[in-house]
């Protein structure tokens, strides 16, 4: 994510993140050549890790932005037990 004033779209209205939050902290993500990320669809933070989904790949980073791993989602089968 790049820029000092980032925004989101909500029902065709553009909102500045500064309108929604009092404080915004940027965490640069370490991206080795094998993990160039584009078209991010989802970002989730859970138990000290960031999980990004982009172009059918799950990328995992620690809370400091250090790259941990990536997983091809087309190879993962989810079963409902």
């Amino acid at each position: 994510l790049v820029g000092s004033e980032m925004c989101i779209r909500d029902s065709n209205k553009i909102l500045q993140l500064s309108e929604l939050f009092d404080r915004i902290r940027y965490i640069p993500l370490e991206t080795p050549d094998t993990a160039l990320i584009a078209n991010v669809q989802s970002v989730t933070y859970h138990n000290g890790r960031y999980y990004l989904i982009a172009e059918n790949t799950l990328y995992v980073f620690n809370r400091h932005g250090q790259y941990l791993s990536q997983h091809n989602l087309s190879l993962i089968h989810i079963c409902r037990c």
Side-chain angles (χ1 to χ4, degrees), residues 5 9-10 15 17 22 29-31 36 40-41 48 54-56 64 67 69 72 75-76 79-81:
E5 273 298 315
R9 265 187 212 281
D10 180 25
L15 299 171
L17 292 181
D22 294 330
L29 299 178
E30 173 187 284
T31 52
L36 298 176
V40 174
Q41 299 162 314
E55 297 183 345
N56 212 30
H64 302 290
Y67 172 81
S69 62
N72 185 336
L75 300 176
I76 297 173
C79 35
R80 297 177 189 215
C81 302

Side-chain angles (χ1 to χ4, degrees), residues 13-25:
K13 179 182 176 187
I14 297 176
L15 299 171
Q16 298 294 324
L17 292 181
S18 57
E19 295 177 49
L20 302 173
F21 304 102
D22 294 330
R23 182 176 55 148
I24 299 171
R25 183 173 66 158

Side-chain angles (χ1 to χ4, degrees), residues 36-42 52-59 70-78:
L36 298 176
I37 300 171
N39 302 319
V40 174
Q41 299 162 314
S42 173
L52 279 70
I53 295 176
E55 297 183 345
N56 212 30
T57 302
L58 172 67
Y59 298 92
Q70 70 186 58
H71 309 275
N72 185 336
L73 294 179
S74 63
L75 300 176
I76 297 173
H77 299 282
I78 300 172

